[in-house]
Amino acid sequence: MIDLKQLREDPQRFSERLNLRGEYDIQPILALDQQQRELEETRSQLQARSNQIGKAVGDRMKSGAKPNDPEILALKAEGSALKEQLGELEPQERSLKAEIETLSLGLPNLPSETTPLGKNETENVEIRRWGDEYIPRQEGLLPHWELGEALGILNFERSSKVAQSRFVTLVGAGAALERSLISFMLDRHIQAGYTEVIPPFLVNTASMTATGQLPKFAEESFQCAQDDLWLTPTAEVPVTNLYRDEILSAEDLPIYHCAYTPCFRREAGSYGRDTRGLIRLHQFNKVELVKFVHPSTSAQEHEALVQDAAAILEALKLPYRVLELCTGDLGFSAAKCYDLEVWMPSAETYREISSCSNFQGFQARRGNLRFKETGKKGTQFLHTLNGSGLAVGRTLAALLENYQQPDGSVQIPEVLRPYLGGQLAGQSAIAPTPK
RNA sequence: GGAGAGGUGGCUGAGUGGUCGAAAGCGGCAGAUUGCUAAUCUGUUGUACGGUUCGUAAGUCCGUACCGAGGGUUCGAAUCCCUCCCUCUCCGCCA
């Protein structure tokens, strides 16, 4: 949610910064806000008089006046008249407020001061690269879906029978690898100071609205028909909402959480893209990092968050680069965002594997996440940040492609080996299984 | 799913139509005091919105709203009525 006060104080500047992201008209909100405040003043004055009357009637009755005393009847009459007036003003004010709310919820966050200017993803800025030396150099590398199917560890065909297209079933070593990645990532993050949570995988409308998925992007998520519940599109939603409508104390901050959840996305409007493989599925696993911090620290917390996500790629020796998204490519709720992109040998390109955003007070305002500093009056909105650490399916895809061997086998990254049991215990590679 | 009970301030818990934003206790904060890792006493202590005076600001003052949520009755509702949500207990079912 945008900060209405900030908008009111300097609409010009507000509008300029908002328009770095696209076309947005703030005039309607401004006008409605003005109207609403005037109405509120009138209404609350009437209300005050009405309260006075209520008290006066009470006082008279206490001191022995009869209910049909002329004075009391007069007061009652005035009260009734006021009530009628209020009955007209109240719905007006309510609908103004609702309109303002609707418009405000539709406005994206303002880009941070440091976000590079740009119209779209072509103007994102590469910050750094890591792991060039790990980029495989051999010819004829298979895309992960071919490799995975050949190894018998990914099954797309049967999955679309069970569900639809854009679903996968992981089999044998594929499932084991996925599971080991989840455990490995979580262990690393816990070591780095994050507290693991396993939140609900279904979330309500209020939660989806607080983090910014709703109301604008309803068609992106799966909704349960009979309940006010949505399949979580990212752990960001349940984890951030853990503290919705709470006032924490400043000493509680920062709070760091990591969470594994499956994620569900309709991927409406992306039908042509990434139709094969693990890159774009309706259901995928993700380990997420979420931070709740004091506003004064959020910039450095953001940098640290990116590093915590990148550390996973480095431990797995997967080559990656860091992009900073420009103003035109920023997600709806983000003020600043870094993407981590992993090297995909088959396409000879980097693909997004983590998105690390600083939302500043945007989600906190929508979800009413506040904190109080002892000694200080009032409350403040805290800052929220989150990042994938990492998208597990895409990590598996990158791993298969980057670790594939000329003989069709796939090496198992060393850091993962302790996590593999059963038939893979002590193994250094996944070999093709004869059919 | 069936039956019952209940949702009050950071917590415990009073309050069944008027002076209740709400007793009391605990906790928190400030001060006083005692020669001591603490006790005692005094004061203070919710949030949001709007207005206002002085102010660079913090703040001051006034009004309104909030006792699970939304509606209703009434001059007046934490208190009465309706709907919904949630929690607890018992039964049923179930991983």
Side-chain angles (χ1 to χ4, degrees), chain A residues 280-398:
Chain A
R280 194 174 299 277
L281 298 175
H282 289 309
Q283 175 190 325
F284 60 95
N285 294 312
K286 184 155 61 73
V287 170
E288 187 78 0
L289 304 172
V290 183
K291 290 185 172 186
F292 305 84
V293 309
H294 191 286
S296 65
T297 63
S298 78
Q300 69 243 42
E301 291 281 7
H302 191 200
E303 302 298 322
L305 178 74
V306 174
Q307 201 42 55
D308 289 332
I312 301 295
L313 288 166
E314 291 177 20
L316 291 168
K317 297 186 170 148
L318 291 170
Y320 70 92
R321 64 174 183 171
V322 182
L323 293 186
E324 175 161 16
L325 301 197
C326 70
T327 50
D329 197 31
L330 223 40
F332 181 78
S333 300
K336 187 179 177 71
C337 180
Y338 295 107
D339 273 4
L340 263 44
E341 295 189 335
V342 70
W343 179 252
M344 295 299 282
S346 70
E348 296 192 311
T349 182
Y350 287 97
R351 291 304 307 255
E352 178 185 335
I353 196 166
S354 170
S355 191
C356 300
S357 303
N358 185 353
F359 305 98
Q360 298 182 344
F362 187 81
Q363 295 180 327
R365 276 188 296 272
R366 291 168 83 100
N368 215 11
L369 283 79
R370 294 172 293 169
F371 71 97
K372 194 174 171 60
E373 272 171 310
T374 42
K376 276 199 187 177
K377 250 202 144 178
T379 58
Q380 298 175 64
F381 290 109
L382 49 76
H383 280 194
T384 58
L385 302 95
N386 68 51
S388 347
L390 307 162
V392 181
R394 289 188 180 183
T395 306
L396 179 61

Side-chain angles (χ1 to χ4, degrees), chain A residues 177-225:
Chain A
L177 269 182
E178 180 95 353
R179 190 155 50 85
S180 71
L181 280 168
I182 293 167
S183 292
F184 164 70
M185 290 178 192
L186 285 170
D187 281 355
R188 286 285 170 129
H189 296 317
I190 291 163
Q191 217 162 34
Y194 294 81
T195 302
E196 183 184 358
V197 293
I198 301 181
F201 298 163
L202 299 184
V203 295
N204 59 31
T205 297
S207 294
M208 290 283 279
T209 305
T211 36
Q213 281 73 23
L214 294 178
K216 242 190 147 174
F217 306 103
E219 71 286 353
E220 276 301 317
S221 295
F222 290 104
Q223 183 173 21
C224 301

Side-chain angles (χ1 to χ4, degrees), chain A residues 246-262:
Chain A
E246 287 194 28
I247 302 174
L248 304 171
S249 74
E251 294 84 69
D252 296 333
L253 304 177
I255 296 171
Y256 300 156
H257 283 308
C258 59
Y260 153 72
T261 69

Side-chain angles (χ1 to χ4, degrees), chain A residues 144 366 423:
Chain A
H144 65 272
R366 291 168 83 100
Q423 295 201 315

